[in-house]
Structure formats: structure tokens, C-alpha cells
mmCIF file of all heavy atoms in Angstrom:
data_model
loop_
_atom_site.group_PDB
_atom_site.id
_atom_site.type_symbol
_atom_site.label_atom_id
_atom_site.label_comp_id
_atom_site.label_asym_id
_atom_site.label_seq_id
_atom_site.Cartn_x
_atom_site.Cartn_y
_atom_site.Cartn_z
ATOM 1 N N GLU Y 134 9.076 -65.641 -48.119
ATOM 2 C CA GLU Y 134 8.260 -66.774 -47.671
ATOM 3 C C GLU Y 134 7.654 -66.494 -46.293
ATOM 4 O O GLU Y 134 6.870 -67.238 -45.835
ATOM 5 C CB GLU Y 134 9.147 -68.000 -47.600
ATOM 6 C CG GLU Y 134 9.637 -68.519 -48.961
ATOM 7 C CD GLU Y 134 10.413 -69.793 -48.851
ATOM 8 O OE1 GLU Y 134 10.688 -70.275 -47.827
ATOM 9 O OE2 GLU Y 134 10.803 -70.186 -49.982
ATOM 10 N N THR Y 135 7.967 -65.378 -45.699
ATOM 11 C CA THR Y 135 7.403 -65.017 -44.407
ATOM 12 C C THR Y 135 6.716 -63.641 -44.561
ATOM 13 O O THR Y 135 7.357 -62.688 -44.978
ATOM 14 C CB THR Y 135 8.433 -65.041 -43.298
ATOM 15 O OG1 THR Y 135 9.105 -66.229 -43.222
ATOM 16 C CG2 THR Y 135 7.778 -64.722 -41.930
ATOM 17 N N TRP Y 136 5.404 -63.583 -44.290
ATOM 18 C CA TRP Y 136 4.640 -62.368 -44.445
ATOM 19 C C TRP Y 136 4.064 -61.989 -43.004
ATOM 20 O O TRP Y 136 3.731 -62.789 -42.220
ATOM 21 C CB TRP Y 136 3.456 -62.676 -45.330
ATOM 22 C CG TRP Y 136 3.829 -63.032 -46.686
ATOM 23 C CD1 TRP Y 136 4.188 -64.357 -47.114
ATOM 24 C CD2 TRP Y 136 4.065 -62.245 -47.805
ATOM 25 N NE1 TRP Y 136 4.515 -64.352 -48.452
ATOM 26 C CE2 TRP Y 136 4.449 -63.024 -48.951
ATOM 27 C CE3 TRP Y 136 3.861 -60.871 -48.058
ATOM 28 C CZ2 TRP Y 136 4.713 -62.464 -50.194
ATOM 29 C CZ3 TRP Y 136 4.046 -60.379 -49.292
ATOM 30 C CH2 TRP Y 136 4.551 -61.216 -50.322
ATOM 31 N N PRO Y 137 4.053 -60.699 -42.782
ATOM 32 C CA PRO Y 137 3.380 -60.210 -41.509
ATOM 33 C C PRO Y 137 1.822 -60.326 -41.564
ATOM 34 O O PRO Y 137 1.291 -60.036 -42.633
ATOM 35 C CB PRO Y 137 3.811 -58.739 -41.314
ATOM 36 C CG PRO Y 137 4.133 -58.375 -42.778
ATOM 37 C CD PRO Y 137 4.527 -59.551 -43.478
ATOM 38 N N THR Y 138 1.301 -60.829 -40.540
ATOM 39 C CA THR Y 138 -0.180 -60.873 -40.411
ATOM 40 C C THR Y 138 -0.532 -60.497 -39.002
ATOM 41 O O THR Y 138 0.377 -60.333 -38.157
ATOM 42 C CB THR Y 138 -0.714 -62.286 -40.745
ATOM 43 O OG1 THR Y 138 -2.104 -62.264 -40.732
ATOM 44 C CG2 THR Y 138 -0.230 -63.314 -39.755
ATOM 45 N N TYR Y 139 -1.839 -60.254 -38.720
ATOM 46 C CA TYR Y 139 -2.209 -59.827 -37.444
ATOM 47 C C TYR Y 139 -3.438 -60.572 -36.990
ATOM 48 O O TYR Y 139 -4.231 -61.015 -37.813
ATOM 49 C CB TYR Y 139 -2.425 -58.358 -37.301
ATOM 50 C CG TYR Y 139 -3.600 -57.803 -38.052
ATOM 51 C CD1 TYR Y 139 -4.738 -57.552 -37.366
ATOM 52 C CD2 TYR Y 139 -3.616 -57.584 -39.388
ATOM 53 C CE1 TYR Y 139 -5.943 -57.074 -37.970
ATOM 54 C CE2 TYR Y 139 -4.786 -57.097 -40.043
ATOM 55 C CZ TYR Y 139 -5.862 -56.824 -39.350
ATOM 56 O OH TYR Y 139 -7.037 -56.357 -39.922
ATOM 57 N N ASP Y 140 -3.687 -60.629 -35.699
ATOM 58 C CA ASP Y 140 -4.839 -61.210 -35.140
ATOM 59 C C ASP Y 140 -5.886 -60.132 -34.952
ATOM 60 O O ASP Y 140 -5.628 -59.217 -34.149
ATOM 61 C CB ASP Y 140 -4.463 -61.901 -33.858
ATOM 62 C CG ASP Y 140 -5.552 -62.591 -33.122
ATOM 63 O OD1 ASP Y 140 -6.813 -62.283 -33.362
ATOM 64 O OD2 ASP Y 140 -5.295 -63.518 -32.334
ATOM 65 N N SER Y 141 -7.001 -60.223 -35.626
ATOM 66 C CA SER Y 141 -7.991 -59.117 -35.538
ATOM 67 C C SER Y 141 -8.624 -58.991 -34.152
ATOM 68 O O SER Y 141 -8.868 -57.853 -33.706
ATOM 69 C CB SER Y 141 -9.033 -59.266 -36.644
ATOM 70 O OG SER Y 141 -9.634 -60.542 -36.514
ATOM 71 N N ASP Y 142 -8.745 -60.101 -33.423
ATOM 72 C CA ASP Y 142 -9.248 -59.982 -32.107
ATOM 73 C C ASP Y 142 -8.301 -59.324 -31.170
ATOM 74 O O ASP Y 142 -8.673 -58.448 -30.351
ATOM 75 C CB ASP Y 142 -9.556 -61.407 -31.543
ATOM 76 C CG ASP Y 142 -10.738 -62.042 -32.172
ATOM 77 O OD1 ASP Y 142 -11.711 -61.292 -32.490
ATOM 78 O OD2 ASP Y 142 -10.755 -63.271 -32.409
ATOM 79 N N GLU Y 143 -7.025 -59.578 -31.346
ATOM 80 C CA GLU Y 143 -5.931 -58.950 -30.567
ATOM 81 C C GLU Y 143 -5.966 -57.396 -30.945
ATOM 82 O O GLU Y 143 -5.759 -56.645 -30.034
ATOM 83 C CB GLU Y 143 -4.635 -59.527 -30.812
ATOM 84 C CG GLU Y 143 -3.514 -59.097 -29.912
ATOM 85 C CD GLU Y 143 -2.195 -59.896 -30.240
ATOM 86 O OE1 GLU Y 143 -2.230 -60.972 -30.917
ATOM 87 O OE2 GLU Y 143 -1.150 -59.386 -29.775
ATOM 88 N N PHE Y 144 -6.113 -57.049 -32.154
ATOM 89 C CA PHE Y 144 -6.162 -55.672 -32.622
ATOM 90 C C PHE Y 144 -7.328 -54.969 -31.933
ATOM 91 O O PHE Y 144 -7.172 -53.809 -31.436
ATOM 92 C CB PHE Y 144 -6.235 -55.572 -34.146
ATOM 93 C CG PHE Y 144 -6.355 -54.179 -34.607
ATOM 94 C CD1 PHE Y 144 -5.277 -53.242 -34.404
ATOM 95 C CD2 PHE Y 144 -7.475 -53.768 -35.298
ATOM 96 C CE1 PHE Y 144 -5.331 -51.923 -34.904
ATOM 97 C CE2 PHE Y 144 -7.506 -52.477 -35.792
ATOM 98 C CZ PHE Y 144 -6.502 -51.543 -35.538
ATOM 99 N N LEU Y 145 -8.533 -55.524 -31.926
ATOM 100 C CA LEU Y 145 -9.691 -54.904 -31.280
ATOM 101 C C LEU Y 145 -9.512 -54.764 -29.857
ATOM 102 O O LEU Y 145 -9.912 -53.788 -29.177
ATOM 103 C CB LEU Y 145 -10.975 -55.678 -31.670
ATOM 104 C CG LEU Y 145 -11.429 -55.600 -33.105
ATOM 105 C CD1 LEU Y 145 -12.637 -56.463 -33.371
ATOM 106 C CD2 LEU Y 145 -11.706 -54.130 -33.535
ATOM 107 N N ASN Y 146 -8.876 -55.782 -29.193
ATOM 108 C CA ASN Y 146 -8.586 -55.711 -27.756
ATOM 109 C C ASN Y 146 -7.659 -54.528 -27.516
ATOM 110 O O ASN Y 146 -7.757 -53.863 -26.497
ATOM 111 C CB ASN Y 146 -8.119 -57.017 -27.187
ATOM 112 C CG ASN Y 146 -9.111 -58.064 -27.070
ATOM 113 O OD1 ASN Y 146 -10.305 -57.731 -27.050
ATOM 114 N ND2 ASN Y 146 -8.742 -59.307 -27.159
ATOM 115 N N PHE Y 147 -6.682 -54.372 -28.402
ATOM 116 C CA PHE Y 147 -5.736 -53.193 -28.275
ATOM 117 C C PHE Y 147 -6.499 -51.909 -28.281
ATOM 118 O O PHE Y 147 -6.293 -50.965 -27.517
ATOM 119 C CB PHE Y 147 -4.562 -53.201 -29.261
ATOM 120 C CG PHE Y 147 -3.819 -51.978 -29.313
ATOM 121 C CD1 PHE Y 147 -2.908 -51.657 -28.304
ATOM 122 C CD2 PHE Y 147 -4.037 -51.035 -30.328
ATOM 123 C CE1 PHE Y 147 -2.226 -50.478 -28.313
ATOM 124 C CE2 PHE Y 147 -3.306 -49.849 -30.335
ATOM 125 C CZ PHE Y 147 -2.359 -49.597 -29.372
ATOM 126 N N LEU Y 148 -7.432 -51.736 -29.202
ATOM 127 C CA LEU Y 148 -8.197 -50.499 -29.394
ATOM 128 C C LEU Y 148 -9.029 -50.249 -28.144
ATOM 129 O O LEU Y 148 -9.294 -49.062 -27.802
ATOM 130 C CB LEU Y 148 -9.125 -50.558 -30.621
ATOM 131 C CG LEU Y 148 -8.422 -50.614 -31.974
ATOM 132 C CD1 LEU Y 148 -9.472 -50.787 -33.029
ATOM 133 C CD2 LEU Y 148 -7.618 -49.396 -32.198
ATOM 134 N N LEU Y 149 -9.402 -51.218 -27.375
ATOM 135 C CA LEU Y 149 -10.185 -51.137 -26.152
ATOM 136 C C LEU Y 149 -9.231 -50.811 -24.960
ATOM 137 O O LEU Y 149 -9.665 -50.484 -23.873
ATOM 138 C CB LEU Y 149 -10.971 -52.328 -25.809
ATOM 139 C CG LEU Y 149 -12.186 -52.588 -26.777
ATOM 140 C CD1 LEU Y 149 -12.767 -53.988 -26.581
ATOM 141 C CD2 LEU Y 149 -13.242 -51.526 -26.619
ATOM 142 N N SER Y 150 -7.917 -50.966 -25.056
ATOM 143 C CA SER Y 150 -7.029 -50.773 -23.977
ATOM 144 C C SER Y 150 -6.876 -49.342 -23.579
ATOM 145 O O SER Y 150 -6.973 -48.425 -24.486
ATOM 146 C CB SER Y 150 -5.671 -51.400 -24.290
ATOM 147 O OG SER Y 150 -4.993 -50.605 -25.207
ATOM 148 N N GLU Y 151 -6.533 -49.101 -22.431
ATOM 149 C CA GLU Y 151 -6.326 -47.771 -21.923
ATOM 150 C C GLU Y 151 -5.055 -47.152 -22.629
ATOM 151 O O GLU Y 151 -5.069 -45.880 -22.828
ATOM 152 C CB GLU Y 151 -6.104 -47.849 -20.353
ATOM 153 C CG GLU Y 151 -6.034 -46.393 -19.776
ATOM 154 C CD GLU Y 151 -7.225 -45.487 -20.051
ATOM 155 O OE1 GLU Y 151 -8.326 -45.969 -20.135
ATOM 156 O OE2 GLU Y 151 -7.029 -44.298 -20.163
ATOM 157 N N GLU Y 152 -4.131 -47.975 -22.961
ATOM 158 C CA GLU Y 152 -3.014 -47.582 -23.699
ATOM 159 C C GLU Y 152 -3.319 -46.805 -25.055
ATOM 160 O O GLU Y 152 -2.860 -45.802 -25.374
ATOM 161 C CB GLU Y 152 -2.036 -48.742 -23.924
ATOM 162 C CG GLU Y 152 -0.772 -48.379 -24.790
ATOM 163 C CD GLU Y 152 0.034 -49.537 -25.222
ATOM 164 O OE1 GLU Y 152 -0.367 -50.688 -24.852
ATOM 165 O OE2 GLU Y 152 0.992 -49.411 -25.915
ATOM 166 N N ALA Y 153 -4.266 -47.428 -25.718
ATOM 167 C CA ALA Y 153 -4.692 -46.869 -27.018
ATOM 168 C C ALA Y 153 -5.607 -45.661 -26.843
ATOM 169 O O ALA Y 153 -5.418 -44.656 -27.449
ATOM 170 C CB ALA Y 153 -5.450 -47.915 -27.869
ATOM 171 N N ILE Y 154 -6.579 -45.845 -25.892
ATOM 172 C CA ILE Y 154 -7.537 -44.653 -25.706
ATOM 173 C C ILE Y 154 -6.918 -43.484 -25.121
ATOM 174 O O ILE Y 154 -7.237 -42.351 -25.541
ATOM 175 C CB ILE Y 154 -8.684 -45.210 -24.731
ATOM 176 C CG1 ILE Y 154 -9.437 -46.394 -25.353
ATOM 177 C CG2 ILE Y 154 -9.579 -44.147 -24.284
ATOM 178 C CD1 ILE Y 154 -10.370 -47.116 -24.497
ATOM 179 N N SER Y 155 -5.934 -43.625 -24.255
ATOM 180 C CA SER Y 155 -5.304 -42.470 -23.678
ATOM 181 C C SER Y 155 -4.458 -41.655 -24.663
ATOM 182 O O SER Y 155 -4.123 -40.520 -24.363
ATOM 183 C CB SER Y 155 -4.398 -42.852 -22.463
ATOM 184 O OG SER Y 155 -3.359 -43.673 -22.919
ATOM 185 N N GLN Y 156 -4.209 -42.180 -25.850
ATOM 186 C CA GLN Y 156 -3.448 -41.463 -26.848
ATOM 187 C C GLN Y 156 -4.298 -40.485 -27.675
ATOM 188 O O GLN Y 156 -3.881 -39.648 -28.419
ATOM 189 C CB GLN Y 156 -2.769 -42.461 -27.841
ATOM 190 C CG GLN Y 156 -1.687 -43.320 -27.164
ATOM 191 C CD GLN Y 156 -1.039 -44.243 -28.130
ATOM 192 O OE1 GLN Y 156 -0.850 -43.858 -29.338
ATOM 193 N NE2 GLN Y 156 -0.713 -45.349 -27.619
ATOM 194 N N LEU Y 157 -5.634 -40.598 -27.446
ATOM 195 C CA LEU Y 157 -6.565 -39.723 -28.210
ATOM 196 C C LEU Y 157 -6.541 -38.357 -27.594
ATOM 197 O O LEU Y 157 -6.285 -38.156 -26.425
ATOM 198 C CB LEU Y 157 -7.983 -40.276 -28.200
ATOM 199 C CG LEU Y 157 -8.178 -41.693 -28.811
ATOM 200 C CD1 LEU Y 157 -9.498 -42.219 -28.434
ATOM 201 C CD2 LEU Y 157 -7.964 -41.653 -30.278
ATOM 202 N N ASP Y 158 -6.813 -37.339 -28.434
ATOM 203 C CA ASP Y 158 -6.887 -35.965 -27.971
ATOM 204 C C ASP Y 158 -7.970 -35.743 -26.928
ATOM 205 O O ASP Y 158 -7.817 -35.076 -25.891
ATOM 206 C CB ASP Y 158 -7.123 -34.965 -29.113
ATOM 207 C CG ASP Y 158 -5.887 -34.825 -29.986
ATOM 208 O OD1 ASP Y 158 -4.751 -35.148 -29.494
ATOM 209 O OD2 ASP Y 158 -6.037 -34.445 -31.159
ATOM 210 N N ASP Y 159 -9.115 -36.395 -27.180
ATOM 211 C CA ASP Y 159 -10.257 -36.348 -26.268
ATOM 212 C C ASP Y 159 -10.757 -37.758 -26.025
ATOM 213 O O ASP Y 159 -11.710 -38.234 -26.725
ATOM 214 C CB ASP Y 159 -11.320 -35.423 -26.809
ATOM 215 C CG ASP Y 159 -12.484 -35.184 -25.860
ATOM 216 O OD1 ASP Y 159 -12.349 -35.585 -24.625
ATOM 217 O OD2 ASP Y 159 -13.523 -34.629 -26.265
ATOM 218 N N PRO Y 160 -10.262 -38.544 -25.000
ATOM 219 C CA PRO Y 160 -10.579 -39.921 -24.923
ATOM 220 C C PRO Y 160 -11.934 -40.150 -24.267
ATOM 221 O O PRO Y 160 -12.471 -41.231 -24.354
ATOM 222 C CB PRO Y 160 -9.428 -40.488 -24.077
ATOM 223 C CG PRO Y 160 -8.938 -39.292 -23.329
ATOM 224 C CD PRO Y 160 -9.120 -38.147 -24.211
ATOM 225 N N GLU Y 161 -12.546 -39.194 -23.662
ATOM 226 C CA GLU Y 161 -13.830 -39.362 -22.845
ATOM 227 C C GLU Y 161 -14.903 -39.880 -23.740
ATOM 228 O O GLU Y 161 -15.651 -40.762 -23.344
ATOM 229 C CB GLU Y 161 -14.146 -38.156 -22.114
ATOM 230 C CG GLU Y 161 -13.296 -37.946 -20.891
ATOM 231 C CD GLU Y 161 -13.166 -39.172 -19.978
ATOM 232 O OE1 GLU Y 161 -14.193 -39.806 -19.681
ATOM 233 O OE2 GLU Y 161 -12.011 -39.529 -19.681
#
């Protein structure tokens, strides 16, 4: 009766965060 869902705006904001970008091999 309980399913996981996500907020797409929050996900896109995460992708823009330094935390996410700094994990890339070449973030520049």
C-alpha cells in the first residue's frame, strides 16, 4: 500500500548540485 515516488523538480535540482556534479570524472 506504500510505494516509493520522487519529486522530479527535486531530482533535477540534485543534478544541478555540486554534490552530483563533483562525482563526474570530468565535471567541467
